[in-house]
């Protein structure tokens, strides 16, 4: 299976799972599998010469991976629309509004969200994002004239919008801005590598892979201790103040996922773990006293490996609900 095809499968599963959720914004949409694949093909395969601005219409349910200018015009009342934005791990998303023609007093709205919301869960979680959930919504009807552009804190963002009147709509220009120290990330692909660095900052960072994968950690520097220790989840590394945890689950919120392993000690070598859940997260907790760093790579688990994981009752914690 080619990487490009896996990327297409990945985005389809994301949007399909969002449509199956309970969010009031994502009910009653007429998106189809063929329609979503056409979205993905147009985004992934299209290439433009340097200096040209990519333009296309925006759909009620959409996924954007490219910079460009996107215009939505309602041909009938569109009451439950959402657009997912995603960049590379080292990028943040800038959303700039123009040509906005909506009736805020009549119930229309455009709301940007700093992160993703799927099936009632948020990424980054409230434990990993510097702002409370309600401050992560930016309502154009409340701030549009004063704030024509918004930026995400990580490589993913969303727009929710509702438009009642045919012919009404808006345009957004999407730009990607370099982020020298990416913290919270959703990977666009099920295979790759990443180096997470938290330089003397008291924060938590999560790298999310919405696939069952094998994680290989080759370096972990926590500013204290030596050697590797993998502890049972009930023991944990919380008292250490600085640690890395591997999480597995079926949703996107790391705080609701199962802790598969805790890494409390610095090491150079190789630590491997297969996690057969729908979502796998490498999460670093930093006290701010040290420069913490973890280097890892990941790959998609093949079918025989997944079958073996199921035989080990992985699903018992992958799909645990509150």
């Amino acid at each position: 299976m080619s990487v490009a095809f896996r990327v297409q499968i990945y985005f389809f599963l994301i949007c399909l799972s969002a449509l199956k959720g309970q969010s009031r914004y994502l009910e009653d949409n007429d998106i189809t599998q063929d329609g979503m694949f056409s979205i993905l093909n147009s985004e992934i395969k299209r290439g433009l010469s340097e200096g040209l601005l990519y333009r296309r219409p925006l759909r009620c349910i959409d996924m954007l991976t490219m910079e460009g200018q996107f215009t939505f015009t309602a041909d009938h009342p569109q009451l439950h629309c959402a657009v997912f934005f995603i960049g590379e791990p080292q990028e943040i998303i800038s959303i700039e509004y123009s040509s906005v023609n909506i009736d805020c007093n009549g119930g229309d709205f455009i709301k940007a969200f700093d992160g993703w919301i799927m099936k009632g869960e948020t990424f980054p979680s409230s434990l990993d994002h510097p702002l409370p959930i309600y401050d992560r919504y930016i309502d154009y009807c409340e701030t549009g004239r004063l704030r024509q552009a918004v930026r995400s804190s990580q490589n993913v963002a969303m727009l929710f919008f509702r438009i009642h009147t045919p012919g009404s709509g808006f345009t957004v220009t999407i730009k990607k801005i370099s982020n020298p120290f990416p913290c919270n990330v959703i990977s666009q692909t099920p295979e790759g590598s990443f180096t997470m660095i938290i330089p003397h900052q008291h924060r938590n960072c999560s790298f999310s892979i919405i696939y069952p994968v094998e994680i290989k950690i080759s370096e972990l520097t926590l500013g204290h201790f030596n050697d590797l220790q993998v502890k049972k989840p009930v023991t944990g590394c919380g008292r250490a103040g600085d640690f890395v945890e591997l999480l597995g689950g079926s949703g996107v919120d790391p705080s609701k996922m199962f802790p598969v392993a805790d890494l409390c000690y610095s090491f150079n070598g190789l630590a491997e773990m297969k996690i057969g859940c729908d979502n796998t997260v490498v999460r670093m907790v930093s006290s701010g006293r040290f420069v913490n760093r973890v280097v890892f790579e990941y790959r998609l688990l093949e079918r025989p490996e997944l079958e073996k994981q199921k035989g080990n009752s992985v699903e018992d914690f992958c799909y645990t609900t509150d």
Side-chain angles (χ1 to χ4, degrees):
M1 184 184 296
S2 70
V3 173
F5 182 70
R6 287 176 179 171
V7 173
Q8 294 170 17
I9 293 287
Y10 165 73
F11 282 127
F12 170 69
L13 292 176
I14 286 180
C15 291
L16 182 62
S17 63
L19 292 174
K20 290 182 178 179
Q22 303 301 316
S23 172
R24 65 185 183 276
Y25 300 107
L26 298 178
E27 299 170 353
D28 304 326
N29 291 289
D30 58 0
I31 193 166
T32 65
Q33 179 170 340
D34 290 341
M36 180 54 65
F37 272 107
S38 69
I39 293 172
L40 302 176
N41 285 326
S42 65
E43 291 301 309
I44 295 170
K45 295 182 179 179
R46 187 182 301 271
L48 291 175
S49 300
E50 185 176 356
L52 294 180
L53 183 64
Y54 173 46
R55 292 180 172 88
R56 76 157 170 81
L58 192 65
R59 302 170 177 87
C60 177
I61 298 295
D62 217 334
M63 171 75 71
L64 299 179
T65 65
M66 300 176 63
E67 294 182 318
Q69 193 171 81
F70 307 90
T71 299
F72 181 82
T73 303
D75 55 5
H76 63 276
Q78 297 278 15
L79 306 183
H80 308 284
C81 298
V83 181
F84 296 81
F85 304 98
I86 186 168
E88 295 298 325
Q90 69 278 7
E91 297 173 335
I92 61 174
I93 309 295
S94 170
I95 306 170
E96 182 177 350
Y97 299 107
S98 61
S99 303
V100 178
N101 175 27
I102 65 172
D103 184 4
C104 293
N105 294 326
D108 294 355
F109 64 75
I110 308 171
K111 296 181 181 181
F113 181 75
D114 190 8
W116 275 6
I117 300 177
M118 295 173 62
K119 296 192 293 185
E121 296 189 6
T122 61
F123 182 91
S125 74
S126 57
L127 298 179
D128 295 346
H129 197 283
L131 297 176
I133 291 293
Y134 57 84
D135 283 340
R136 293 164 64 180
Y137 287 96
I138 306 296
D139 190 335
Y140 176 86
C141 289
E142 296 177 357
T143 64
R145 293 182 179 179
L146 300 176
R147 190 172 182 179
Q148 291 291 323
V150 296
R151 290 185 179 183
S152 68
S153 302
Q154 60 288 310
N155 76 321
V156 294
M158 288 189 73
L159 276 186
F160 298 107
F161 59 94
R162 173 184 299 164
I163 298 178
H164 292 81
T165 306
S168 297
F170 61 92
T171 296
V172 290
T173 300
I174 304 303
K175 298 179 181 179
K176 297 178 181 179
I177 301 169
S178 177
N179 180 11
F181 293 105
C183 181
N184 296 300
V185 173
I186 291 181
S187 175
Q188 291 193 43
T189 65
E191 297 175 345
S193 59
F194 188 70
T195 299
M196 181 184 294
I197 302 174
I198 305 182
H200 291 292
Q201 293 176 325
H202 180 41
R203 64 190 308 193
N204 307 325
C205 296
S206 293
F207 188 96
S208 176
I209 311 146
I210 307 182
Y211 271 105
V213 296
E214 179 184 40
I215 300 288
K216 294 183 179 180
I217 299 178
S218 58
E219 178 186 340
L220 177 59
T221 303
L222 293 173
H224 65 105
F225 303 129
N226 292 298
D227 301 323
L228 167 67
Q229 179 173 348
V230 179
K231 297 186 176 182
K232 295 181 180 180
V234 293
T235 304
C237 295
R239 294 183 180 180
D242 299 85
F243 60 92
V244 166
E245 56 184 352
L246 303 182
L247 308 172
S250 59
V252 297
D253 188 334
S255 68
K256 298 181 179 180
M257 298 172 69
F258 185 85
V260 180
D262 291 347
L263 307 177
C264 311
Y265 296 85
S266 300
F267 69 92
N268 282 288
L270 189 63
E272 304 178 29
M273 180 160 291
K274 296 178 180 179
I275 302 177
C277 301
D278 291 343
N279 193 11
T280 303
V281 168
V282 179
R283 182 172 183 264
M284 177 178 284
V285 175
S286 177
S287 67
R289 294 177 294 169
F290 310 103
V291 177
N292 294 326
R293 166 187 168 101
V294 60
V295 180
F296 60 92
E297 59 184 76
Y298 51 98
R299 67 166 183 87
L300 183 69
L301 291 180
E302 302 296 339
R303 184 180 298 274
E305 295 173 298
L306 282 173
E307 293 299 325
K308 185 176 181 180
Q309 293 291 104
K310 291 180 180 179
N312 292 332
S313 300
V314 164
E315 293 140 321
D316 290 348
F317 67 80
C318 284
Y319 302 102
T320 299
T321 57
D322 295 334

